Amino acid sequence: MVSITAKIVATAHSTPEKVMTNFDLEKIVDTSDEWIKSRTGISQRYVVGNDEASSDISTSVAKKLLIKSGLSADEIDVIIIGTVTPDHFTPSTAAIVQNNIKASNAWGFDLSAACSGYIYGLETGSAFIRSGLYKNVMVIGVDTMTSILDFQDRDTCVIFGDGGGGAILQGTQNNHGIIDSLLHMDGSGGKYLIVPGGGSRLPASKKSVENREHFIKQDGKTVFKHAVRGMANVSAEILSKNNLTGDDISLFIPHQANKRIIDAAAEKCGISKDKVLINIDRYGNTTAGTIAIALSEAVENKKINDGDYVLLSSFGAGFTWGSILVKWNLS
Ligand code: UT7
């Protein structure tokens, strides 16, 4: 039997127009451009304006994906949106996007895996393609983190931003595209990066709002340690599983949470600095958006050639983490 793999036939990304610099944040909380840059690598991030939400960013990504892939909306079979900041609990962001782009034959859903949302989405989409059941799968990673940020909490509000990106997956019989993946989850880490309120555990109430429990809370130091270890280990694991070393990788696209995490993870798994894509300086941490935006930028800037091995790795709340190995081929 001929085996099918999923290849990425189009990528796109989108952000809100409004930029918030570190200097803007200096006016809101007790922080400094110098601290943010040296501790995280971030200089600025994009933030939504009034009345803008994750489905708006996703719709913009989806429209670009249709143009770039040459597909019509009714050829899309499935829409998967990785996000922890959906417009609503229900309907799903995927349903809103389906309606916005008039993808009349698509079904789909939102996928909640925080910073691993795009990696988990690619794995899910790839499995759908490999099953032979679907031809065109749209995967989007998006977050409007400012909707859950506490601008009185300098531990979190300086690191996140809004934005998203995505890809169209199609099947190929040429053994390229997404050739391997390793996904992990460890729920014992859940308490270290959490939005405590607003769900069924602590439904919205006057008290929950007064206690600021609808905002994201993070134990930064603990997450930092797990992120370095998790991202380095899973990247090294997928390389050795495929008999590759860091030298074989043309481009490493890690989740953009902190430049120090990226540097440490890349060093630990033997990938030289010039092969590591870093754009956190301009976007901050867009959660499910980071890898999708970075991959789209890399394609746009012609940083990937046919035959290249590209490694995508994430770590985030849950804890969730994983790697996807792509043998690039657009033809
Ligand atoms: O994407 C999801 C996964 N998330 C992550 O991977 C994030 C992981 N964590 C981190 O990236 C880092 O832990 C942070 C960037 C969140 C914090 O950096 P850190 O180097 O761990 O800082 P810290 O919490 O140890 O704080 C060091 C100092 C403290 O002051 P003292 O106690 O040394 O006087 C903080 O109060 O920096 C202070 N500080 C700040 N100063 C200015 C903490 N936040 C700020 C701030 N501006 N925004």
Side-chain angles (χ1 to χ4, degrees):
M1 212 178 87
V2 188
S3 73
I4 302 173
T5 53
K7 72 171 179 177
I8 295 170
V9 299
T11 54
H13 65 281
S14 186
T15 60
E17 276 177 25
K18 195 170 154 198
V19 170
M20 183 183 269
T21 65
N22 294 346
F23 298 105
D24 295 327
L25 277 165
E26 283 182 0
K27 293 175 200 142
I28 303 171
V29 278
D30 180 16
T31 191
S32 66
D33 174 60
E34 201 282 325
W35 190 95
I36 301 171
K37 261 197 209 141
S38 62
R39 305 309 293 167
T40 70
I42 301 167
S43 298
Q44 63 162 55
R45 70 285 295 140
Y46 293 89
V47 296
V48 290
N50 288 339
D51 206 27
E52 252 185 312
S54 291
S55 72
D56 301 312
I57 300 169
S58 304
T59 300
S60 160
V61 171
K63 286 181 177 168
K64 289 182 190 177
L65 285 173
L66 291 178
I67 293 168
K68 290 187 179 184
S69 65
L71 292 170
S72 61
D74 57 12
E75 288 177 286
I76 301 297
D77 299 310
V78 188
I79 301 172
I80 303 170
I81 302 198
T83 186
V84 288
T85 49
D87 291 24
H88 313 283
F89 278 163
T90 193
S92 69
T93 314
I96 299 170
V97 171
Q98 180 273 336
N99 183 50
N100 287 350
I101 64 169
K102 302 287 173 239
S104 52
N105 296 310
W107 67 283
F109 54 91
D110 290 0
L111 185 161
S112 174
C115 303
S116 300
Y118 188 58
I119 294 289
Y120 275 34
L122 286 178
E123 170 71 345
T124 309
S126 161
F128 283 165
I129 295 286
R130 281 185 283 126
S131 76
L133 286 175
Y134 303 104
K135 283 196 169 62
N136 298 308
V137 177
M138 182 181 277
V139 181
I140 291 175
V142 66
D143 271 300
T144 303
M145 292 305 288
T146 51
S147 65
I148 52 169
L149 281 185
D150 184 349
F151 280 94
Q152 292 181 13
D153 174 14
R154 69 178 184 172
D155 289 346
T156 50
C157 74
V158 304
I159 55 184
F160 291 101
D162 302 336
I168 302 273
L169 303 182
Q170 285 178 349
T172 173
Q173 295 180 352
N174 295 331
N175 198 28
H176 60 249
I178 297 177
I179 56 169
D180 203 8
S181 59
L182 275 178
L183 288 306
H184 296 296
M185 183 155 73
D186 177 4
S188 69
K191 57 183 177 283
Y192 301 117
L193 187 45
I194 187 168
V195 180
S200 57
R201 177 66 58 196
L202 186 62
S205 66
K206 188 165 177 281
K207 191 165 161 238
S208 72
V209 172
E210 279 167 4
N211 290 342
R212 311 182 80 73
E213 284 163 320
H214 305 269
F215 295 124
I216 193 162
K217 320 274 178 204
Q218 170 171 249
D219 175 345
K221 273 196 189 317
T222 304
V223 178
F224 190 99
K225 274 187 238 151
H226 282 88
V228 173
R229 200 181 315 135
M231 215 149 64
N233 286 353
V234 74
S235 305
E237 217 182 322
I238 202 167
L239 289 179
S240 100
K241 193 177 157 209
N242 287 274
N243 297 315
L244 300 172
T245 69
D247 290 342
D248 298 308
I249 297 300
S250 301
L251 192 63
F252 178 44
I253 306 187
H255 171 52
Q256 313 278 313
N258 186 321
K259 185 169 180 302
R260 291 183 295 136
I261 296 177
I262 297 171
D263 291 344
E267 196 187 325
K268 266 176 168 245
C269 58
I271 299 177
S272 63
K273 278 191 172 164
D274 55 313
K275 294 177 173 178
V276 183
L277 199 149
I278 294 177
N279 66 9
I280 191 172
D281 49 323
R282 286 172 290 130
Y283 295 96
N285 179 353
T286 56
T287 303
T290 61
I291 295 172
I293 294 172
L295 179 61
S296 168
E297 278 199 332
V299 172
E300 212 166 77
N301 298 331
K302 305 203 175 0
K303 286 193 176 161
I304 308 178
N305 298 305
D306 280 2
D308 281 356
Y309 283 111
V310 179
L311 181 62
L312 317 176
S313 297
S314 69
F315 187 92
F319 293 131
T320 56
W321 69 107
S323 283
I324 295 245
L325 181 63
V326 184
K327 184 150 194 231
W328 197 262
N329 198 322
L330 287 175
S331 57

